[in-house]
Every structure is written in structure tokens, then in C-alpha cells.
Amino acid sequence: HLRNQGVEFQIFFMEQADLLNFNRGLLLNAGVLILQHSGYDHFSLHDVDTIPGDVKIPYTYPEGNVPMHLTPPGIHPSVDYVDFFGGNTIFTLEQFQRVNGYGNHFWGWGKEDDNLRERLQKKGMWPTLRPKGCVPWPQQCGRARPGHYFKHQTHAKEPEMRAAGGGKGYVKRNPDHPYGHEKILNVYPEIYQDFGKSGLNTTKFELVTVESFYGAIKLRVELDCDKNITPWCDASRRRRQ
């Protein structure tokens, strides 16, 4: 897809090599920090499960003040709201630094992209750019037929971390499971309303290995968790892959 557009690129897979719950925002922060002095002039932060369809989606340099959002609402089966900012985005390094990247405390599934949208809004960087031909949004993108713009690969979601009452007895729950009296920990005010305190400047990780991976490069990292803020980060106890 990118070669057909004449785009110069290198693909990096960010893989978590620790026992902690998945943290998409922290992984992407780590990737940008690893590559910030490498000479790349913009970064496509791309969900691995969202595959370009049969239209020429332009992975172009985001000119000006704001990043580009490539993924219209309705691609992901669980998110279909107009200000959705998940999926695939393109930032310059300066744009990503201006919002301090993603918040670091979103362990488990969800809300890191909504928080990033809020960060952009606070900095006057909203609305974002959209590919040409996609205005109004999303009526002209992705709704004609499944897989036309992006195809979302179906798979089990990373569990949400939830808690009842005061938040001591946190548990993993399927995002499709009814909430009951549980609260999603990623929407606690001190986490969701963090609009820049945590981010690139507080991202801590260890680069474990750099591996060739089907023509791409896999960066395996062990992430750091502040257990005073989010003690549930290590609740999964997954085996090291």
C-alpha cells in the first residue's frame, strides 16, 4: 500500500515484553522516544488490527498545527462516535511532544485515545486533518461497504480493569460484559482528566530486544508502572512471550 504511493517508510512493531497489563499509549510513547533522534519526520501510530482497504488512503505528512486522523468512526465494531480519535493517526514529532504524547496510566482496554483527543483540544489542535475526500466525516469514508476504507480484524479485546466501591478489589472484565456496579478504572478522574502531567516526559521503559520481523523491525520493551497510582497494572500476570 505504501510502496504504491511512493512513500519512504519503515515499519516498527512495538511489543510488550513484561508481565503487566497491556498499555497501548505507553507502548506508543516508548516507540516515539526510541525513534525521536532517528531522522524520521513523522510517525504513523497504527493499530495492528486495522488494515488498509481498497482505496488509496494517503499516509501523508501532517502539514501545519494538527495531526492527521486516518480512521473514520464505524471501522471498529465498538466505537462509532463522531469525535472518535483511535485507530490510525499521523503526528510530527513536534505535534506529539506538544501534547506530551499519551497518558501513561491507561492499563487494559480503552480511553487512552479519548484522553489524547482531550489533550489536543486543550492545546487548540482540534479538529484534526482528514484524508482528502473524507469531508464531511464520516459519510464519505468507510461506510460504502465493509473493508472499503479500513478492515478491522476481529479478535478478543484486551480486558478492561474494573473495580467496585472504593476501587480496592479490581478485576479484569470483558469490555462487552455489563458494568453492574463496577467502575472502569481508566475513567477515574485522576487518570482520564490527566491532560499532560504524565506522558512522554514520564515514560519509563527498558528496550529488551530489536529483532527483524517479516521485513519490519520489532522493538520489545518492558514498561514501568507506578503502582502507587495504578496498582492494577500487574493484575494480569501473563507469561512472558
Side-chain angles (χ1 to χ4, degrees), residues 150-166:
F150 277 102
K151 176 183 178 182
H152 183 270
Q153 293 182 315
T154 303
H155 59 87
K157 298 175 189 172
E158 174 73 8
E160 289 172 334
M161 302 308 298
R162 301 185 187 179

Side-chain angles (χ1 to χ4, degrees), residues 177-220:
H177 187 278
Y179 294 147
H181 297 291
E182 298 167 341
K183 181 177 179 64
I184 300 172
L185 294 171
N186 281 352
V187 298
Y188 271 18
E190 58 268 32
I191 296 175
Y192 185 75
Q193 295 177 15
D194 172 5
F195 300 130
K197 183 177 180 181
S198 78
L200 288 173
N201 65 327
T202 58
T203 294
K204 297 179 181 179
F205 65 93
E206 179 181 349
L207 179 59
V208 179
T209 59
V210 179
E211 306 170 7
S212 176
F213 187 72
Y214 294 97
I217 297 173
K218 182 191 293 185
L219 304 175
R220 303 184 71 242

